[in-house]
């Protein structure tokens, strides 16, 4: 995974179209999945290999150089990373580029989580990271995108794009009856409703993905100068 100049992260297996390169080792490209554009480190890019067959379904997993958990891992793979698997060796899936990944941490590309909120809840305690999309660090809109993608629901990257594209806006008559999976938007922030009383969101106040009382969070964010701009129902 690598960072697109402090805006988002591209995960292993994501396809990117490169439009330009500069002398400083950066490439200007666009992620094929969500259309995000930015500068990427040229050395982190590789020509597409075998078509992906599987994706990581655990929060993260390790890629080993051989079929043993006692070997030093060659890297960490986050939830949603795409891999081309060519076979099995015991309890490991073997990728086309020769890495061994615990089979129980992978699923077919079309596997879908039934509850995207449950995916987001698994990130509780993850450090907040502007532009992050993994269990090593994640931001508010990254949490929404990763969770929805795990449920095979397309989602833009940034919270303003999400507010425009996702669901329907709840009128005031419905906004007091929040349901699991509703999205609450502020300017530059988004949270996921867990139930009638709590939300889960990655936020800089806690510097983590946190579960907290909905109306206490709304009051705190309002006191900091931001009102709720909309509540969307998918």
């Amino acid at each position: 995974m690598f960072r697109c100049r402090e805006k988002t992260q591209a995960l292993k297996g994501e396809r990117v179209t490169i439009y330009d390169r500069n002398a400083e080792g950066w490439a200007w490209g666009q992620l094929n999945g969500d259309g995000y554009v930015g500068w990427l480190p040229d050395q982190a890019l590789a020509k597409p290999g075998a078509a992906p067959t599987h994706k990581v379904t655990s929060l993260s997993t390790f890629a080993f150089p051989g079929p043993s958990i006692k070997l030093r891992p060659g890297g960490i793979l986050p939830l949603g990373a795409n891999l081309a698997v060519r076979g099995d060796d015991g309890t490991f899936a073997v990728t086309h580029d020769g890495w061994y990944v615990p089979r129980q941490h992978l699923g077919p590309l079309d596997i879908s989580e039934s509850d995207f909120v449950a995916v987001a809840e698994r990130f509780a305690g993850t450090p907040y990271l502007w532009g992050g999309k993994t269990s090593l660090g994640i931001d508010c809109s990254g949490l929404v995108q990763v969770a929805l993608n795990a449920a095979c629901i397309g989602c833009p990257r940034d919270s303003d794009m999400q507010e425009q594209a996702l669901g329907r806006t709840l009128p005031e008559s419905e906004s007091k009856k929040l349901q699991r999976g509703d999205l609450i938007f502020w300017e530059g922030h988004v949270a996921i409703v867990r139930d009638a009383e709590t939300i889960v969101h990655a936020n800089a106040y806690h510097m983590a993905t946190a579960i907290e009382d909905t109306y206490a969070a709304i009051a705190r964010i309002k006191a900091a100068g931001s009102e709720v701009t909309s509540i969307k129902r998918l």
Side-chain angles (χ1 to χ4, degrees):
M1 57 193 171
F2 51 90
R3 187 177 298 280
C4 298
R5 279 273 174 105
E6 302 304 319
K7 294 295 185 180
T8 191
Q9 288 178 315
L11 307 183
K12 180 177 176 58
E14 287 197 73
R15 296 298 197 255
V16 57
T17 300
I18 299 301
Y19 301 112
D20 194 16
R21 288 180 164 88
N22 65 22
E24 299 176 351
W26 290 87
W28 177 258
Q30 183 174 31
L31 297 180
N32 293 2
D34 61 15
Y36 212 90
V37 296
W39 290 99
L40 308 105
D42 209 351
Q43 65 180 4
L45 301 175
K47 291 183 178 180
T53 59
H54 291 73
K55 64 183 179 182
V56 176
T57 55
S58 58
L59 276 186
S60 62
T61 190
F62 293 106
F64 296 93
S68 172
I69 60 173
K70 295 183 179 180
L71 296 174
R72 182 176 181 178
I76 299 174
L77 302 172
L79 175 69
N82 290 341
L83 304 172
V85 173
R86 61 176 171 83
D88 293 303
D89 188 339
T91 60
F92 291 89
V94 185
T95 70
H96 272 269
D97 48 2
W99 293 104
Y100 292 71
V101 181
R103 169 56 81 172
Q104 59 265 48
H105 292 168
L106 302 181
L109 290 179
D110 61 355
I111 192 171
S112 176
E113 295 279 355
S114 60
D115 180 4
F116 85 91
V117 183
V119 178
E121 290 169 336
R122 288 160 58 189
F123 282 88
T126 296
Y128 180 84
L129 177 66
W130 176 262
K133 293 200 312 187
T134 78
S135 61
L136 296 177
I138 199 164
D139 66 14
C140 65
S141 55
L143 181 67
V144 171
Q145 186 186 53
V146 168
L148 284 174
N149 285 349
C152 294
I153 300 172
C155 178
R157 176 60 178 91
D158 292 338
S159 60
D160 59 340
M161 301 175 186
Q162 293 170 355
E163 185 172 16
Q164 293 173 7
L166 298 175
R168 67 177 180 90
T169 302
L170 294 185
E172 186 174 354
S173 60
E174 293 184 66
S175 63
K176 300 300 182 182
K177 300 178 181 179
L178 298 178
Q179 297 179 8
R180 186 174 178 85
D182 288 346
L183 301 175
I184 303 176
F185 289 93
W186 296 260
E187 184 175 353
H189 188 58
V190 59
I192 303 169
V193 174
R194 297 177 65 242
D195 52 38
E197 298 178 349
T198 61
I199 56 174
V200 56
H201 60 148
N203 64 93
Y205 178 81
H206 294 96
M207 281 307 295
T209 296
I211 293 171
E212 62 177 317
D213 179 87
T214 301
Y215 296 100
I218 289 174
R220 172 172 55 76
I221 296 171
K222 180 178 180 179
S226 183
E227 298 269 5
V228 171
T229 55
S230 70
I231 300 174
K232 307 295 287 286
R233 180 160 295 165
L234 302 183

